C-alpha cells in the first residue's frame, strides 16, 4: 500500500502543470504584443510537457520590476536591455531570433533618425540644438544606437540636442510628433518607418532619413550600425531541464509555423555574440563618465533593499549616537570648564581672604598702637591750652594752632575707633550730621593732591538743607574713597583736557542725593564687579574702597550706583558726557 501511495504521488506531481510568464517588450503597444507573441507561447506550451506559457507585455521599467519581484520567468527583448538587466539579475541567454525579413538575418536592430521631407535638416550636424523625441533611454534601437553614432562622429551626444523627450511605447507617436511639427526629428527603431508606410499609417513622401544607409540584403534604411536581434532569456529560477526543453523547441520551430509567421521570424538560432553591443555601451559610458555617487548608491539600494535598509538604519542610529556623544562631550566640557573656572575663583577668593585676614590683623594692631599716641597728642594739646590760660599769656595764634592740633587728634582718634569697629564688626554710632560739611571735610583732606593734579573741584548744593542721622566717620571715609577714585581716574587722562570734579548735593523731601561727577576715562569694568571685595582696576589697589563705600551706604539704608556719564539713568542733567558719575542716596530718617 505504501508503494502504491508513493507511485500515485509521483504521478500526480508529474501531471501537475507549471505556469510560466514571459515578459515581452511591447514596443508597439500591449495589444499588438499579445497578438504577435501569444501563438509562440501556445507553441511552447505544446512542445514542453506539463507547462503553460503566458505572454506579459511590458516596457523597460516594467520588465525590470517584475524580474525583481520574480513575477517573470522568461523575457524576450533586445540585447541592450538584456545586458542592462544581466548586470542586476542572473539571466541565461537561450536563443536569438532570425528576422523574417532581410534574408533571415540576426542583425536587425538599429536606429533610424527621421525628419519631415521639407525640413532644413540634412546632416547629423544640423541636428545640433534641435528638439528630438525617442522611446526610452534604455532602448537600443530607439535611442542608444543613435547616441553611439554621434559619439563616433565626434559629437558630445549628451549635450548635442536642445531637448530630448522620451515618449515610451508604442513607437508610432514618435513619427506623428515629427509629422505634426512638435519635434524636429525622431529616433525610431530600424524598419519602424517602413512598417508604418506599409500599413498605410503615413506617406513615404512626407519623411526623410538622416545619415541614411541600406545594407546589402536589407529592405529598410538605417542611420546607425546594426546590432543583434531580439533574444529569448530565462531567469535563474527556471530549472536547467526546462531551459533545455525550451531551447530545443525554439530551435525546432518551422519557418512556416503560425507562431513563426505571427512573430515575424524565420525561427531561432544559437545566441549571437553581443560584442558590438558591449562596445557601444563602453563608448557611451566613457562619454558620460562615471555616474554620480548618489546614483550608484540608489541603484545598489534598489537591488539590495534588505541590506540597504539595514545599512540605512545603522547609519541613522550611528548618526544619532554620534550626535548624542558630541552633545554629552560638549556638556561635560562645559561642566569641566565651569568647574575649572569656579576652582580658580575659589582659589582667588581664598587668597583674598588670606589677604583680608592679614590686613585685619595689621589693621587691628595699628589701631591699637596708634590709639595711645593719638590720645597722648590730645592730652598734650589740651594741657598746653590749659597752661596758656593759667599763665594768662595772650597768644591767640599759638592757642589757635593748639586748638587745631587738638581737633585733628580727636578726629584721628575717631577714625581709629571706626577702623577698630569695622574690624570687630561693631555697630557704628549715629549722630546728627550736615552732609555738606562732611563732603567739604573730605575734599579738604585731599586738597593737596587735587591741587597737585590741577583738578578743579566744585560743590553745588540744591534745595533746602537739613541734617540727617548717620555715622560721620563712615560717611567721611566714603566721600574720601569716592573723591580719591575720581582723582585717580582724572590722573590717567593723557590729553590736555581741563580736569574737573563736581559734587552735586540735592536735598529732597525724604532723602539726600549726592552725585560725584568727573570727566575722566570712565569705568574700566562692570560696576557690580568693582563693588566686590578685592576687585580693583588699579595695579596697586587692594579693591576695598568701593566695597567699604557700599557697606557704609547699606548701613545707612541707602543706595549707591556707579555708571558712565553717557549711560546715566538719572533725571539730573550732567555737565558733560565723558567720565563717571557715582550717585549716593541717603534717606532722611
Amino acid at each position: 500500500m505504501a508503494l502504491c501511495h508513493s507511485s500515485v504521488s509521483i504521478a500526480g506531481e508529474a501531471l501537475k502543470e507549471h505556469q510560466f510568464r514571459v515578459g515581452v517588450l511591447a514596443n508597439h503597444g500591449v495589444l499588438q504584443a499579445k497578438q504577435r507573441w501569444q501563438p509562440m507561447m501556445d507553441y511552447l506550451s505544446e512542445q514542453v510537457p506539463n507547462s503553460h506559457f503566458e505572454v506579459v507585455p511590458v516596457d523597460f521599467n516594467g520588465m525590470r520590476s517584475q524580474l525583481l519581484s520574480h513575477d517573470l520567468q522568461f523575457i524576450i527583448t533586445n540585447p541592450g536591455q538584456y545586458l542592462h538587466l544581466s548586470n542586476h539579475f542572473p539571466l541565461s541567454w537561450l536563443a536569438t531570433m532570425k528576422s523574417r525579413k532581410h534574408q533571415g538575418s540576426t542583425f536587425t536592430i538599429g536606429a533610424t533618425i527621421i525628419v519631415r521631407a521639407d525640413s532644413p535638416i540634412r546632416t547629423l550636424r544640423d541636428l545640433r540644438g534641435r528638439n528630438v523625441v525617442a522611446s526610452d533611454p534604455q532602448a537600443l534601437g530607439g535611442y542608444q544606437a543613435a547616441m553611439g553614432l554621434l559619439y563616433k562622429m565626434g559629437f558630445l551626444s549628451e549635450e548635442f540636442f536642445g531637448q530630448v523627450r522620451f515618449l515610451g511605447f508604442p513607437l508610432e507617436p514618435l513619427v506623428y510628433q515629427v509629422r505634426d511639427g512638435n519635434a524636429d526629428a525622431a529616433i525610431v527603431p530600424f524598419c519602424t518607418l517602413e512598417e508604418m508606410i506599409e500599413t498605410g499609417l503615413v506617406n513615404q513622401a512626407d519623411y526623410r532619413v538622416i545619415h541614411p544607409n541600406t545594407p546589402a540584403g536589407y529592405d529598410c534604411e538605417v542611420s546607425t550600425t546594426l546590432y543583434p536581434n531580439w533574444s529569448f532569456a530565462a531567469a535563474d529560477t527556471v530549472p536547467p531541464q526546462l531551459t533545455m526543453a525550451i531551447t530545443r523547441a525554439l530551435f525546432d520551430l518551422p519557418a512556416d509555423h503560425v507562431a513563426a509567421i505571427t512573430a515575424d521570424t524565420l525561427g531561432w538560432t544559437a545566441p549571437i555574440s553581443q560584442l558590438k553591443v558591449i562596445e557601444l555601451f563602453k563608448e557611451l559610458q566613457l562619454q558620460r563618465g562615471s555616474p554620480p555617487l548618489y546614483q550608484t548608491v540608489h541603484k545598489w539600494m534598489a537591488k539590495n533593499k534588505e541590506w540597504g535598509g539595514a545599512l540605512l538604519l545603522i547609519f541613522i542610529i550611528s548618526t544619532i549616537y554620534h550626535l548624542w556623544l558630541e552633545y554629552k562631550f560638549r556638556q561635560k566640557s562645559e561642566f569641566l570648564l565651569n568647574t575649572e573656572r569656579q576652582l580658580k575663583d575659589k582659589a582667588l577668593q581664598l587668597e583674598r581672604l588670606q589677604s583680608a585676614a592679614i590686613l585685619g590683623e595689621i589693621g587691628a594692631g595699628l589701631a591699637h598702637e596708634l590709639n595711645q599716641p593719638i590720645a597722648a597728642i590730645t592730652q598734650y594739646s589740651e594741657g598746653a591750652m590749659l597752661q596758656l590760660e593759667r599763665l594768662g599769656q595772650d597768644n591767640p595764634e599759638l592757642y589757635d594752632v593748639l586748638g587745631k592740633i587738638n581737633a585733628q587728634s580727636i578726629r584721628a582718634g575717631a577714625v581709629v575707633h571706626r577702623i577698630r569697629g569695622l574690624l570687630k564688626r561693631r555697630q557704628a554710632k549715629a549722630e546728627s550730621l550736615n552732609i555738606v560739611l562732611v563732603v567739604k571735610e573730605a575734599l579738604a583732606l585731599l586738597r593737596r593732591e587735587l591741587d597737585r593734579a590741577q583738578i578743579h573741584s566744585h560743590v553745588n548744593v540744591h534745595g533746602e538743607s537739613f541734617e540727617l542721622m548717620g555715622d560721620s566717620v563712615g560717611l567721611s571715609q566714603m566721600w574720601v574713597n569716592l573723591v580719591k577714585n575720581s582723582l585717580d581716574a582724572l590722573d590717567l587722562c593723557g590729553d590736555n583736557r581741563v580736569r574737573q570734579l563736581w559734587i552735586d548735593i540735592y536735598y529732597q523731601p525724604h532723602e539726600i542725593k549726592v552725585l560725584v561727577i568727573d570727566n575722566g576715562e570712565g569705568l574700566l569694568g562692570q560696576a557690580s564687579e568693582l563693588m566686590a571685595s578685592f576687585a580693583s582696576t588699579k595695579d596697586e589697589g587692594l579693591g576695598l574702597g568701593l566695597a567699604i563705600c557700599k557697606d557704609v551706604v547699606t548701613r545707612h539704608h541707602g543706595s549707591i550706583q556707579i555708571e558712565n556719564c553717557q549711560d546715566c539713568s538719572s533725571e539730573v542733567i550732567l555737565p558733560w558726557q565723558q567720565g563717571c558719575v557715582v550717585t549716593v542716596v541717603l534717606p532722611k530718617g
Side-chain angles (χ1 to χ4, degrees):
M1 290 179 65
L3 290 174
C4 292
H5 184 271
S6 177
S7 300
V8 172
S9 298
I10 294 173
E13 187 70 24
L15 293 175
K16 182 179 179 181
E17 185 177 73
H18 297 279
Q19 301 288 331
F20 298 103
R21 291 163 56 87
V22 182
V24 177
L25 196 61
N27 53 357
H28 290 283
V30 174
L31 181 61
Q32 193 272 350
K34 287 185 176 181
Q35 293 175 350
R36 179 182 179 184
W37 292 105
Q38 189 56 51
M40 184 69 69
M41 302 300 105
D42 296 339
Y43 167 76
L44 292 177
S45 299
E46 294 174 359
Q47 297 298 315
V48 181
N50 303 321
S51 300
H52 177 75
F53 293 85
E54 176 188 359
V55 63
V56 182
V58 291
D59 57 10
F60 292 107
N61 294 326
M63 185 174 292
R64 186 182 184 283
S65 62
Q66 293 206 36
L67 280 174
L68 185 64
S69 61
H70 304 292
D71 291 334
L72 296 180
Q73 291 75 44
F74 300 93
I75 60 171
I76 301 176
T77 186
N78 64 62
Q81 177 70 359
Y82 167 76
L83 290 177
H84 174 74
L85 294 174
S86 63
N87 292 329
H88 305 277
F89 306 99
L91 299 172
S92 300
W93 209 236
L94 303 184
T96 298
M97 188 173 66
K98 297 186 293 183
S99 176
R100 199 165 188 84
K101 301 176 183 178
H102 321 303
Q103 301 177 6
S105 174
T106 55
F107 282 80
T108 58
I109 294 182
T112 303
I113 305 175
I114 65 171
V115 297
R116 285 170 57 102
D118 56 357
S119 174
I121 301 173
R122 298 290 176 179
T123 64
L124 290 175
R125 186 180 300 275
D126 297 335
L127 288 169
R128 184 187 298 274
R130 301 287 186 169
N131 295 330
V132 178
V133 291
S135 58
D136 193 278
Q138 300 181 36
L140 177 60
Y143 183 68
Q144 293 172 334
M147 296 299 102
L149 173 64
L150 293 175
Y151 177 75
K152 290 179 180 179
M153 298 297 291
F155 302 116
L156 295 175
S157 57
E158 293 294 330
E159 303 174 358
F160 185 73
F161 298 117
Q163 181 185 16
V164 180
R165 290 182 293 131
F166 297 102
L167 306 183
F169 299 134
L171 300 173
E172 286 78 6
L174 300 175
V175 181
Y176 297 150
Q177 289 289 312
V178 175
R179 180 196 64 186
D180 299 337
N182 296 325
D184 298 317
I187 303 174
V188 297
F190 181 49
C191 286
T192 298
L193 179 61
E194 284 77 6
E195 291 173 359
M196 294 180 67
I197 293 173
E198 183 179 349
T199 56
L201 295 177
V202 294
N203 297 321
Q204 182 176 2
D206 296 337
Y207 300 93
R208 183 162 35 83
V209 176
I210 301 300
H211 199 262
N213 178 37
T214 304
Y218 287 80
D219 305 327
C220 305
E221 285 186 321
V222 67
S223 302
T224 67
T225 301
L226 292 176
Y227 298 92
N229 205 350
W230 287 23
S231 296
F232 201 112
D236 64 332
T237 56
V238 181
Q241 298 83 354
L242 183 59
T243 59
M244 291 177 61
I246 293 174
T247 303
R248 189 178 302 110
L250 292 175
F251 289 168
D252 294 341
L253 176 65
D256 57 351
H257 194 281
V258 63
I261 296 172
T262 308
D264 197 20
T265 177
L266 286 179
W268 300 82
T269 186
I272 301 299
S273 172
Q274 307 298 318
L275 180 61
K276 294 181 68 174
V277 182
I278 295 173
E279 291 177 346
L280 170 65
F281 284 2
K282 285 183 178 180
E283 292 173 353
L284 296 178
Q285 187 66 30
L286 287 174
Q287 181 186 8
R288 296 190 186 101
S290 301
L293 179 61
Y294 74 91
Q295 290 186 0
T296 305
V297 174
H298 181 267
K299 290 180 180 179
W300 187 89
M301 292 283 288
K303 183 179 179 181
N304 306 274
K305 289 185 176 180
E306 295 80 5
W307 285 104
L311 290 176
L312 182 61
L313 181 61
I314 292 174
F315 174 76
I316 294 175
I317 294 175
S318 300
T319 303
I320 295 175
Y321 182 67
H322 171 74
L323 294 175
W324 181 79
L325 286 178
E326 186 175 356
Y327 168 74
K328 298 300 290 184
F329 175 77
R330 290 184 177 180
Q331 193 177 42
K332 293 295 184 182
S333 298
E334 292 177 358
F335 174 76
L336 291 175
L337 290 175
N338 291 332
T339 303
E340 183 181 5
R341 192 179 300 113
Q342 291 175 5
L343 289 176
K344 289 183 179 179
D345 292 341
K346 295 296 183 183
L348 182 60
Q349 291 178 10
L350 179 60
E351 182 180 353
R352 289 174 174 175
L353 288 175
Q354 290 175 349
S355 300
I358 296 172
L359 182 63
E361 294 178 1
I362 295 174
L366 287 175
H368 177 73
E369 295 296 331
L370 290 175
N371 190 46
Q372 293 180 0
I374 291 173
I377 294 172
T378 302
Q379 293 175 3
Y380 288 148
S381 61
E382 289 178 353
M385 293 171 66
L386 291 174
Q387 187 67 21
L388 286 175
E389 291 179 358
R390 186 180 302 113
L391 296 176
Q393 297 181 0
D394 188 12
N395 192 342
E397 294 181 358
L398 180 60
Y399 192 87
D400 183 61
V401 170
L402 290 174
K404 291 181 178 179
I405 293 174
N406 182 263
Q408 291 300 324
S409 64
I410 293 174
R411 185 176 183 280
V415 172
V416 170
H417 285 293
R418 172 61 181 167
I419 293 174
R420 294 185 66 181
L422 287 175
L423 294 174
K424 295 182 179 181
R425 299 184 181 275
R426 292 178 178 174
Q427 186 69 27
K429 181 181 179 181
E431 55 184 324
S432 180
L433 300 174
N434 187 330
I435 293 298
V436 176
L437 294 179
V438 176
V439 170
K440 289 184 176 181
E441 286 180 0
L443 286 174
L445 291 174
L446 297 172
R447 174 55 56 189
R448 183 178 179 184
E449 295 186 37
L450 292 171
D451 293 341
R452 179 186 56 81
Q454 297 181 354
I455 298 174
H456 301 279
S457 60
H458 305 274
V459 177
N460 306 311
V461 181
H462 307 273
E464 185 177 354
S465 64
F466 55 83
E467 294 184 348
L468 57 76
M469 299 298 294
D471 179 14
S472 60
V473 176
L475 291 175
S476 179
Q477 288 179 343
M478 180 183 70
W479 300 126
V480 169
N481 281 327
L482 294 180
V483 173
K484 185 67 170 61
N485 286 341
S486 296
L487 192 151
D488 293 338
L490 290 167
D491 197 36
L492 293 175
C493 297
D495 51 15
N496 295 323
R497 76 181 70 176
V498 177
R499 294 170 173 80
Q500 298 192 68
L501 172 64
W502 282 24
I503 300 179
D504 289 344
I505 302 174
Y506 293 87
Y507 285 95
Q508 298 178 351
H510 303 289
E511 62 187 14
I512 300 176
K513 180 183 291 187
V514 183
L515 276 68
V516 180
I517 314 166
D518 64 69
N519 63 341
E521 295 298 325
L523 289 177
L524 299 179
Q526 295 293 328
S528 58
E529 296 178 358
L530 296 176
M531 286 188 182
S533 299
F534 305 106
S536 176
T537 59
K538 305 173 186 177
D539 295 336
E540 299 179 356
L542 294 176
L544 293 173
L546 290 177
I548 292 175
C549 293
K550 183 179 180 182
D551 178 71
V552 171
V553 172
T554 302
R555 290 178 182 272
H556 287 79
H557 307 288
S559 64
I560 182 171
Q561 184 177 3
I562 306 176
E563 54 192 340
N564 288 317
C565 292
Q566 61 182 3
D567 301 326
C568 181
S569 58
S570 175
E571 298 178 355
V572 179
I573 300 176
L574 302 180
W576 48 75
Q577 292 298 311
Q578 184 178 10
C580 178
V581 54
V582 180
T583 304
V584 177
V585 178
L586 299 173
K588 184 176 182 180

